[in-house]
């Protein structure tokens, strides 16, 4: 009944037996000095913002330097510039922050290797890694209003959604993987009595992680928590459009006592920092969430360099199938949430709605009514459901798709226009009279735009739903459990929601079939992205068969 | 009789402690108004009187646990919420570690530092581990049936669990029982040992403070023949988990079978061998074996109580072990430096001394110890004892002594020592010390025991399963296996297209 971490001199005569080799680590080797040092010096770049909205008032400071080996800094590259960070609600510049470059990636990767080989990886026991992740979750919960305020300011999502979804789920993800850290099990494999074989699930090593702007904090959590739980060290690139919550998190990492080099955060552009990570010969694995074209580039770079392991979570064109026997009111609401949640900037968005003929007209009317009632506006206004799109570029792209839709002969049932004259606000937009080969049916719009079409039979709608290069998520609304299960089995997608939409849990895997990605995030499955399996074969009584 | 008492605790001063029954988050007296007494093992003087739960009290507790299971726990609450409560509870234990350790030391006689750092520390670790596991229990989907049907399994909590724990690790056995049960979603009716009920009761206040709903943990101090028997025979308890002796474990299994066939897990006795080959590092091996037998004054089901040393190093090894015995930190429980305290009771002490006498009379050589500690002064100490040159038929070799007594003999070959090691009704643990890698693995596979230590002894982790082969028990505690002990599997068949 003796645990290793506390084995000290139990018997006076035998201090060696008990001290040596048993206490796995002294505390100081993996939990650094607790004195909190937020900034290296007065000259370290910082973004300061005074929030004053109904849920949170106060001044928040965000360190904006590159966070490498537990220190904030400017780029090692003299030619590095700054990146302007915009407020999508106004189109104005919030702050300019240091840009990371290849040289910074090189340094961060080097430090991540040092940490992996000394304080992390196999050098920190699982339960200790778990404690640290849980500590991070607690600090996020403490600072939930701050994180949510920054997220709403930077990304344009509503404060309410940021706090109740993004921040809560991000903290839960850290907590969940905190629990996994000491529950990663290999197997013992029976062969013959002459041999013992077992597997060890070891951390992959240094991981490059590249995340998007639609859920800046949540994607940060989905990437870092399983990697760090498995024992990996990471160099992560937040999107240059929405870097602020990731940078605030570096303060919390310091406070939690994350050893230097375990988590490094470098803001920069995809074609510099992102590309450097994907192509780096000393990065053991790269994980990316974003568009399918960029995902393809990441995989190419990974293959051309050191064949690093790759996991990709890419685009989608989620089909939402509503049968005539569905609970009608719930289906309408979920369909609206399925597309308009996060302003349609969701890879699993239900952007193709298929409604069975007998209820099609009724559904379109109710859905039009629901969509037009959603309030678009100031993210900090408590009654707002939809804030601005993230950037001018995205705004332009989405409006171009709306034009395409009209040009190709689809009918606008509701929406299709800008809201206001500042910022990047777009009306919830519904297209009818669409055909399978239209651009707005085939391509991912990544905005508040949905296409609705009727169907007659189960077989027919399965075919339509599967007629896509994507396979991220789909939903089925029906009261017939046999049909629900049948359709769920036949749809080609990584997530099937039955009578709900856009629900995610740290415990449940998420990822894509087809061109929607490689690998799975969340749940136990995500640990597979960050572990290498080693098979150990022990000869117990066999003799070598070579005829010598 | 009130439900609380005030006692003088060394280094803490006067502390009010619970002595009542804890039912539905309230302290209550026994309906029978009866009490039982405990004794301070370090002085032999009366310690505290506790309420004695009888059958009617067990009925009250079970009703409370059933109601909690059906309303605020079990399938009614998300696993993540149970996890949060278990973590919160662990935080509170950490906050109160010094107090809990001092009370554990006072009631059980173990050294206060050992109690605080091991018993309390490991109990916290068990809670944190199972908090993390609560939302990671997965059923299976079985889609082998084409379009005809679809099957999945649910791992559901068993329900109301009776838990009966021993006096050697009063708090840690409490944690090993309660943490996985609560993580799985079960509610518990806990009976601590009548010798050491104190810390289990102190935990009830922490559970309430953490926000664990009423009825999830009910705690009933009492005797085995009354409280324990009522739990085992109760028709509305779904499972009983027990740690203790083989004799009592057998009674529990019978009572469970005779009542409602409640599920049973048992963690019972042991007579665990340590096998030292000529190639071993003698100093290291002697240190591990010494810790294995004399930790907790030998009152440990996994105690390394049988020693087999290969003939080439036998005398050298016995000398090394004897020097460890003589240097054991024997002393008062309240002393920070003490690791070897008194045995739990007068009865236990006399039983151990009787075994030593029996060994002597059957021809064993007393290398060291073999008697009461000369500073016992009314307390129940027995010195660390080595009985050498024992033979297989001796009572001290066959039976569990549950005290600081190790029996030693020599062996020649690997085959011979495997036979010797397995020649026992028990199968809880074993250790092998050798520098031959192939031999290590062969021995690990050949010895019938639930835990094998190679070149080590006694170390347990919340993540590694623990339990016995043969009469040492049924089922496993700790690790993911420990959670399964509180779950039942439901297969759900869903017809997709089949017709009659």
């Amino acid at each position: 009944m003796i645990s290793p971490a506390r084995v000290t001199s139990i018997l006076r005569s035998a201090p060696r037996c008990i001290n040596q080799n048993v206490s796995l680590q002294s505390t100081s080797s993996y939990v650094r000095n607790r004195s909190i040092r937020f900034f290296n010096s007065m000259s370290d770049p910082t973004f300061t913002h005074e929030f004053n909205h109904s849920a949170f008032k106060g001044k928040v400071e965000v360190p904006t330097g590159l966070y490498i080996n537990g220190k904030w800094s400017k780029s090692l590259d003299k030619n590095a510039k700054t990146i302007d960070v915009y407020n999508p609600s106004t189109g104005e510049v919030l702050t300019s922050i240091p840009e990371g470059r290849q040289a910074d990636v090189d340094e961060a990767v080097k430090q991540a290797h040092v940490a992996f080989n000394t304080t992390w990886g196999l050098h920190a026991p699982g339960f200790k890694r778990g404690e640290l992740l849980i500590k991070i979750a607690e600090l996020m919960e403490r600072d939930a209003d701050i994180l949510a305020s920054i997220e709403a300011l930077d990304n344009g999502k509503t404060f309410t959604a940021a706090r109740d979804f993004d921040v809560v789920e991000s903290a839960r993800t850290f907590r969940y993987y905190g629990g996994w850290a000491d529950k990663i099990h290999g197997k013992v494999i029976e062969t013959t009595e002459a041999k013992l074989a077992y597997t060890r699930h070891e951390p992959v090593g240094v991981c490059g992680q590249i995340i998007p702007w639609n859920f800046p904090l949540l994607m940060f959590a989905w990437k870092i928590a399983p990697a760090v739980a498995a024992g990996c060290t990471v160099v992560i690139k937040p999107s240059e459009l929405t870097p602020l919550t990731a940078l605030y998190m570096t303060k919390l990492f310091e406070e939690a006592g994350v050893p230097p080099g375990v988590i490094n955060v470098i803001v920069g552009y995809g074609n510099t920092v992102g590309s450097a990570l994907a192509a780096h010969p000393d990065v053991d694995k790269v994980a990316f969430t974003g568009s399918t074209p960029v995902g393809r580039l990441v995989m190419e770079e990974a293959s051309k360099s050191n064949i690093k392991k790759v996991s990709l979570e890419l685009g989608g064109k989620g089909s939402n199938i509503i049968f005539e026997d569905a609970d009608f009111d719930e289906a309408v609401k979920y369909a609206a949430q399925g597309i308009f949640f996060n302003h349609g900037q969701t890879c699993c968005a239900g952007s193709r709605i298929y409604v069975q003929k007998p209820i099609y007209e009724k559904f379109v009317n109710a859905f039009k009514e629901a969509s037009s009632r959603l309030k678009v506006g100031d993210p900090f206004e408590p009654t707002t459901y939809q804030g601005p799109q993230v950037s001018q570029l995205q705004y332009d792209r989405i409006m171009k798709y709306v034009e395409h839709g009209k040009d190709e002969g689809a009918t606008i049932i509701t929406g299709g226009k800008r809201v206001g004259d500042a910022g990047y606000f777009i009306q919830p937009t519904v297209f009818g009279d669409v055909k399978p080969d239209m651009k707005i049916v085939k391509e991912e719009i990544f905005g508040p735009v949905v296409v609705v079409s009727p169907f007659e039979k189960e077989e027919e709608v399965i075919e339509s739903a599967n007629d896509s290069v994507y396979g991220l998520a789909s939903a089925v609304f029906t009261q017939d459990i046999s049909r629900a299960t049948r359709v769920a089995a036949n749809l080609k997608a990584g997530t099937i929601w039955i009578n709900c939409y856009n629900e995610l849990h740290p415990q449940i895997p998420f990822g894509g079939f087809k061109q929607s990605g490689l690998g799975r995030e969340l749940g136990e499955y995500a640990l597979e992205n960050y572990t290498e399996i080693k098979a150990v074969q022990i000869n117990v009584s066999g003799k070598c068969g070579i005829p010598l | 009789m009130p439900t609380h008492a005030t006692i003088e605790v060394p280094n803490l001063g006067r502390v009010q402690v619970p002595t009542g029954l804890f039912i539905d988050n309230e302290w209550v007296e026994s309906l029978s108004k009866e009490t039982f007494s405990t004794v301070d093992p370090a002085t032999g003087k009366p310690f505290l009187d506790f309420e004695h739960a009888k059958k009617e009290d067990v009925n009250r507790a079970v009703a409370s646990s059933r109601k909690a299971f059906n309303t605020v726990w079990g399938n009614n609450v998300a696993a993540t919420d149970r996890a949060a409560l278990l973590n919160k509870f662990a935080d509170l234990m950490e906050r109160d570690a010094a107090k809990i350790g001092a009370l554990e030391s006072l009631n059980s006689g173990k050294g206060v530092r050992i109690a605080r750092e091991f018993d309390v520390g490991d109990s916290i670790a068990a809670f944190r581990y199972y908090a993390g596991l609560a939302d990671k229990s997965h059923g299976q989907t079985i889609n082998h049936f084409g379009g005809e049907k679809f099957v999945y399994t649910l791992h559901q909590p068993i329900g109301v669990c009776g838990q009966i724990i021993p006096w050697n690790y009063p708090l840690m056995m409490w944690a090993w029982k309660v943490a996985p049960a609560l993580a799985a979603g079960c509610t518990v009716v806990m009976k601590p040992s009548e010798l050491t009920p104190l810390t289990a009761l102190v935990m009830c206040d922490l559970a309430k403070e953490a926000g664990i709903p009423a009825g999830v943990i009910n705690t009933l101090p009492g005797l085995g023949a009354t409280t324990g028997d009522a739990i085992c025979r109760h028709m509305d308890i779904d499972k009983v988990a027990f740690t203790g002796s083989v004799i009592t474990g057998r009674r529990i299994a019978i009572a469970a079978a005779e009542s409602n066939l409640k599920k049973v897990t048992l963690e019972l006795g042991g007579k665990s061998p340590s096998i030292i080959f000529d190639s071993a590092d003698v100093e290291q091996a002697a240190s591990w074996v010494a810790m294995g037998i004399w930790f907790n004054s030998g009152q440990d089901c996994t105690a390394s109580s049988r020693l087999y040393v290969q003939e080439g190093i036998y005398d050298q090894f016995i000398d090394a072990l004897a020097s460890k015995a003589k240097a054991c930190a024997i002393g008062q429980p309240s002393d920070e430096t003490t690791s070897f305290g008194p045995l739990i009771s007068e009865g236990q002490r006399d039983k151990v001394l009787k075994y030593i006498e029996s060994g002597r009379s059957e021809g064993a050589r007393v290398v060291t110890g073999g008697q009461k500690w000369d500073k016992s002064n009314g307390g129940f100490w027995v010195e660390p004892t080595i009985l050498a040159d024992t033979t297989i038929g001796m009572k001290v070799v066959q039976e569990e002594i549950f005290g600081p007594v190790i029996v030693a003999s020599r062996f020649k070959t690997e085959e011979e020592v495997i036979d010797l090691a397995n020649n026992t009704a028990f199968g809880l643990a074993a250790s092998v010390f050798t520098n031959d890698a192939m031999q290590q693995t062969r021995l690990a596979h050949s010895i019938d025991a639930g835990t094998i230590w190679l070149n080590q002894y006694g170390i347990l982790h919340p993540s590694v399963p623990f339990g016995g082969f043969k009469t040492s028990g049924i089922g496993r505690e700790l690790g993911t296996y420990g959670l399964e002990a509180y779950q039942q599997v439901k297969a759900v068949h869903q017809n997709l297209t089949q017709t009659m």
Side-chain angles (χ1 to χ4, degrees):
Chain A
M1 318 281 171
I2 304 163
S3 76
R6 279 174 290 276
V7 174
T8 50
S9 57
I10 292 165
L11 303 165
R12 271 186 200 134
S13 66
R16 271 192 64 236
C17 102
I18 310 192
N19 277 335
Q20 267 195 349
N21 306 326
V22 176
S23 100
L24 293 178
Q25 298 279 317
S26 71
T27 312
S28 59
S29 68
Y30 46 75
V31 178
R32 67 204 293 198
N33 190 322
R34 287 297 167 112
S35 68
I36 301 157
R37 173 186 42 76
F38 284 159
F39 306 106
N40 292 321
S41 70
M42 294 303 287
S43 66
D44 279 337
T46 303
F47 166 62
T48 305
H49 190 85
E50 183 93 33
F51 286 99
N52 185 12
H53 58 94
S54 56
F56 177 69
K57 297 184 197 336
K59 193 160 102 173
V60 174
E61 289 190 343
V62 182
T64 55
L66 312 173
Y67 181 70
I68 297 170
N69 201 31
K71 298 185 194 78
W72 293 274
S73 62
K74 289 181 185 162
S75 179
L76 293 167
D77 184 338
K78 309 195 288 296
N79 298 321
K81 302 193 168 59
T82 56
I83 294 173
D84 288 341
V85 180
Y86 290 86
N87 178 349
S89 298
T90 61
E92 288 162 6
V93 174
L94 279 170
T95 183
S96 293
I97 68 171
E99 174 202 16
R101 289 285 183 95
Q102 169 87 48
D104 306 306
V105 172
D106 290 345
E107 176 62 15
V109 169
K110 196 172 123 199
Q111 297 302 338
H113 269 291
V114 171
F116 184 75
N117 292 326
T118 54
T119 57
W120 210 246
L122 299 172
H123 307 277
F127 69 93
K128 275 288 162 195
R129 301 197 302 267
E131 277 176 15
L132 209 52
L133 289 168
I134 285 170
K135 178 77 184 158
I136 292 169
E138 287 170 356
L139 295 175
M140 291 176 78
E141 281 158 5
R142 182 196 69 189
D143 290 356
D145 284 342
I146 295 173
L147 282 164
S149 296
I150 301 172
E151 196 77 320
L153 179 71
D154 195 12
N155 166 279
K157 65 180 68 197
T158 65
F159 172 80
T160 313
R163 189 190 52 203
D164 298 344
F165 179 77
D166 297 70
V167 176
V168 166
E169 292 299 329
S170 300
R172 280 183 183 156
T173 303
F174 275 99
R175 224 176 245 294
Y176 174 75
Y177 284 104
W180 265 126
D182 62 354
K183 296 171 189 77
I184 298 169
H185 301 146
K187 295 177 179 176
V188 173
I189 299 159
E190 300 274 337
T191 52
T192 72
E193 276 301 291
K195 174 171 275 184
L196 167 65
Y198 62 86
T199 58
R200 291 165 56 88
H201 293 196
E202 297 183 357
V204 170
V206 174
C207 301
Q209 303 182 317
I210 304 168
I211 57 170
W213 46 260
N214 58 339
F215 294 97
L217 183 64
L218 188 65
M219 294 303 101
F220 190 74
W222 283 18
K223 290 283 180 289
I224 289 177
V228 168
C232 292
T233 56
V234 306
V235 179
I236 188 164
K237 183 192 101 60
S239 165
E240 68 277 13
L241 297 177
T242 55
L244 297 179
T245 41
L247 292 170
Y248 186 83
M249 287 295 294
T250 62
K251 270 166 68 161
L252 301 188
F253 295 152
E254 286 292 299
E255 189 176 349
V258 177
V262 172
I263 304 172
N264 302 279
V265 182
I266 300 182
V267 180
Y269 295 106
N271 59 8
T272 53
V273 173
S275 167
L277 283 172
H280 205 291
D282 296 325
V283 168
D284 301 299
K285 184 236 154 64
V286 63
F288 170 77
T289 296
S291 72
T292 297
V294 177
R296 203 185 299 277
L297 285 177
V298 167
M299 196 164 166
E300 275 175 25
E301 296 276 19
S303 307
K304 280 194 262 181
S305 54
N306 59 342
I307 317 197
K308 56 178 67 66
K309 276 119 203 68
V310 179
S311 56
L312 303 171
E313 205 269 88
L314 308 175
K317 191 77 183 178
S319 55
N320 189 355
I321 303 169
I322 297 160
F323 285 95
E324 58 175 321
D325 68 334
D327 178 330
F328 185 81
D329 294 342
E330 283 297 301
V332 169
K333 283 192 262 178
Y334 269 115
Q337 185 212 275
I339 180 64
F340 300 122
F341 175 67
N342 211 42
H343 329 164
Q345 304 168 137
T346 308
C347 44
C348 52
S351 49
R352 291 183 292 154
I353 300 176
Y354 296 96
V355 186
Q356 207 164 17
K357 272 261 171 68
I359 59 163
Y360 181 74
E361 288 305 325
K362 184 180 167 201
F363 179 88
V364 166
N365 289 334
F367 189 62
K368 175 185 175 184
E369 155 76 10
S371 305
S372 54
R373 271 191 12 230
L374 292 173
K375 194 176 160 200
V376 182
D378 178 5
F380 290 103
E381 172 60 45
T383 57
T384 300
Y385 183 74
Q386 185 181 309
Q389 307 309 124
V390 76
S391 68
Q392 183 71 47
L393 190 73
Q394 282 301 315
Y395 172 86
D396 293 341
R397 249 184 106 233
I398 295 162
M399 292 313 271
K400 212 165 134 191
Y401 271 114
V402 172
E403 287 313 308
H404 269 303
K406 288 194 243 175
D407 292 348
E408 289 187 303
T411 310
I412 290 192
I413 295 169
T414 182
K417 296 201 179 68
R418 179 173 192 153
V419 176
D421 48 16
Y424 317 123
F425 299 89
I426 297 176
Q427 290 177 336
T429 301
V430 182
F431 275 106
D433 299 323
V434 295
K435 298 204 174 57
D437 56 349
M438 287 181 179
K439 243 174 138 69
I440 55 170
V441 177
K442 286 269 175 231
E443 296 181 14
E444 183 177 38
I445 300 174
F446 223 67
V449 181
V450 65
V451 297
V452 188
S453 36
F455 73 92
E456 280 179 37
K457 289 196 184 134
E458 186 179 313
E459 299 74 37
E460 173 201 347
V461 76
I462 289 169
E463 207 171 303
S464 304
N466 286 340
D467 180 20
S468 171
V469 296
Y470 294 111
L472 194 57
S474 281
V476 185
F477 286 81
T478 175
Q479 304 285 43
D480 177 341
I481 185 69
S482 295
R483 173 151 68 193
T485 313
R486 255 187 337 258
V487 176
N490 287 316
L491 288 171
K492 303 256 185 271
T495 293
I496 310 291
W497 285 291
I498 295 175
N499 295 326
C500 59
Y501 208 102
N502 270 347
E503 299 195 348
L504 299 165
H505 304 268
Q507 296 83 2
I508 301 180
F510 180 80
F513 278 39
K514 299 196 269 186
Q515 292 184 34
S516 287
L518 277 181
R520 290 293 176 274
E521 299 196 88
L522 299 185
E524 188 176 5
Y525 298 86
L527 294 169
E528 293 170 14
N529 296 328
Y530 296 100
T531 45
E532 287 273 30
I533 293 167
K534 178 186 283 176
V536 180
Q537 300 193 21
I538 303 176
N539 183 4
V540 178
S541 60
K543 295 287 178 218
C544 188
I546 190 168
L548 286 176
Chain B
M1 161 89 191
T3 56
H4 288 75
T6 302
I7 50 172
E8 187 69 26
V9 183
N11 307 321
L12 283 186
R14 293 183 72 73
V15 176
Q16 198 203 45
V17 293
T19 55
L21 316 182
F22 188 76
I23 299 176
D24 220 32
N25 266 10
E26 301 297 335
W27 292 107
V28 296
E29 295 175 21
S30 161
L31 291 171
S32 70
K33 307 287 179 199
E34 286 181 36
T35 62
F36 64 92
S37 303
T38 56
V39 171
D40 180 347
T43 62
K45 293 186 178 136
F47 179 51
L48 277 169
D49 288 351
F50 291 89
E51 292 288 315
H52 184 168
K54 294 293 187 62
K55 195 172 172 182
E56 300 71 34
D57 302 308
V58 173
N59 288 340
R60 285 198 285 171
V62 172
S64 158
S65 285
R66 175 63 60 195
K67 184 170 165 234
F69 183 75
N70 289 338
T71 55
V72 294
W73 206 247
N75 295 321
N76 306 293
V77 56
T80 46
D81 295 342
R82 298 199 300 273
L85 287 170
L86 294 183
N87 262 324
K88 172 79 182 153
F89 180 83
D91 291 343
L92 298 178
M93 280 183 88
E94 233 157 38
R95 182 195 69 190
D96 291 354
K99 178 183 153 196
I100 300 166
L103 293 173
E104 184 78 333
S105 164
L106 192 59
N107 195 180
S108 71
K110 59 183 79 197
V112 65
R113 176 180 62 89
I114 301 282
R116 188 178 62 238
E117 294 182 4
F118 288 77
D119 297 79
V120 180
D122 288 359
S123 300
I124 293 167
F127 266 87
R128 292 213 185 281
Y129 177 83
Y130 282 107
L133 192 59
D135 63 354
K136 293 166 192 77
S137 172
H138 303 146
Q140 300 177 341
T141 57
I142 303 163
N143 49 346
H144 303 168
F145 309 100
E148 290 186 347
K149 77 193 289 187
F150 175 68
V151 178
Y152 61 91
T153 62
L154 294 173
H155 293 190
Q156 296 190 320
I158 288 178
V160 176
C161 299
Q163 301 185 318
I164 301 172
I165 58 172
W167 46 262
N168 57 341
Y169 295 97
L171 181 68
M172 197 163 39
M173 294 302 101
W174 184 89
W176 283 20
K177 293 280 181 293
V178 172
L182 265 55
C186 292
T187 56
V188 306
V189 176
M190 161 65 64
K191 185 193 101 57
S193 164
E194 64 272 25
L195 301 178
T196 55
L198 184 55
T199 44
L201 294 174
V202 171
M203 290 305 103
C204 295
D205 281 329
L206 289 192
K208 191 172 176 177
E209 184 183 348
I212 294 172
V216 173
I217 303 173
N218 289 302
T219 304
L220 304 176
L223 308 188
T226 52
T227 325
D229 188 65
I231 288 172
C232 297
R233 295 192 178 278
H234 204 286
M235 296 302 285
D236 200 32
I237 287 182
D238 303 301
K239 182 228 161 87
V240 62
F242 170 75
T243 296
S245 71
V246 174
I247 293 173
T248 309
R250 199 187 305 273
R251 281 201 203 117
I252 284 171
I254 291 169
E258 284 175 351
S259 56
N260 61 343
L261 268 178
K262 54 178 68 68
K263 281 135 196 49
V264 178
T265 50
L266 303 172
E267 204 269 89
L268 308 174
K271 190 77 182 178
S272 301
S274 284
I275 300 167
I276 323 292
F277 284 94
D278 285 343
S279 66
D281 177 331
V282 170
E283 263 302 304
Q284 276 292 306
S287 292
W288 284 110
V289 170
M291 184 175 77
I293 180 63
W294 294 312
F295 187 76
N296 214 41
S297 307
Q299 305 170 118
D300 191 320
C301 49
T302 55
S304 127
S305 51
R306 281 189 296 151
L307 175 63
Y308 297 104
V309 187
Q310 207 163 15
E311 56 187 358
I313 57 165
Y314 180 77
D315 293 330
Q316 187 195 349
F317 191 89
I318 297 293
D319 285 350
L321 190 63
S323 70
K324 311 282 176 205
K326 289 186 184 113
C328 268
I330 190 165
Q332 293 298 325
S334 59
D335 185 342
E336 279 282 321
T337 61
T338 295
S339 355
F340 190 102
L343 301 189
I344 191 67
S345 67
E346 188 174 8
Q348 192 64 24
R349 190 230 9 231
D350 292 347
K351 191 179 136 209
V352 170
L353 291 173
K354 219 169 124 189
Y355 269 116
I356 294 170
E357 245 348 277
S358 146
R360 230 193 279 260
S361 70
E362 289 188 294
R365 170 167 61 98
V366 180
V367 177
T368 184
Q371 59 194 4
K372 294 181 196 172
W373 183 40
D374 58 4
K375 302 193 187 85
S376 288
N377 203 16
F380 308 129
W381 280 267
V382 173
E383 286 181 354
T385 300
I386 301 172
L387 300 180
D389 311 337
T390 54
T391 53
I392 189 77
M394 290 181 185
K395 215 171 139 115
V396 288
V397 175
Q398 288 300 327
E399 298 181 13
E400 183 178 37
I401 299 174
F402 221 69
V405 182
I406 187 168
V407 299
S409 57
R410 65 184 85 212
F411 72 91
K412 287 196 173 83
T413 67
E414 183 179 314
E415 295 67 36
E416 176 197 356
V417 80
I418 291 171
D419 279 348
L420 286 168
N422 285 337
N423 187 340
T424 170
F426 296 106
L428 194 56
S431 72
V432 180
F433 292 82
T434 168
N435 271 341
D436 177 338
M438 288 190 178
Q439 186 173 51
Q440 275 191 17
T441 312
R442 286 195 301 271
L443 268 285
H445 295 198
S446 308
I447 295 173
D448 300 327
T451 295
I452 308 284
W453 285 289
L454 301 174
N455 293 329
Q456 192 173 67
Y457 205 99
I459 307 290
L460 296 170
H461 311 263
S463 55
V464 181
F466 177 79
F469 278 38
K470 300 198 267 184
T471 62
S472 286
I474 297 176
R476 290 293 176 273
E477 299 193 271
L478 301 185
T480 58
Y481 301 86
L483 192 72
E484 289 169 16
Y486 292 94
Q487 294 177 320
Q488 46 195 354
V489 177
K490 178 185 283 177
V492 182
H493 297 242
Q494 197 179 317
N495 184 3
L496 299 183
T497 53
Q498 287 175 311
T499 48
M500 288 289 286

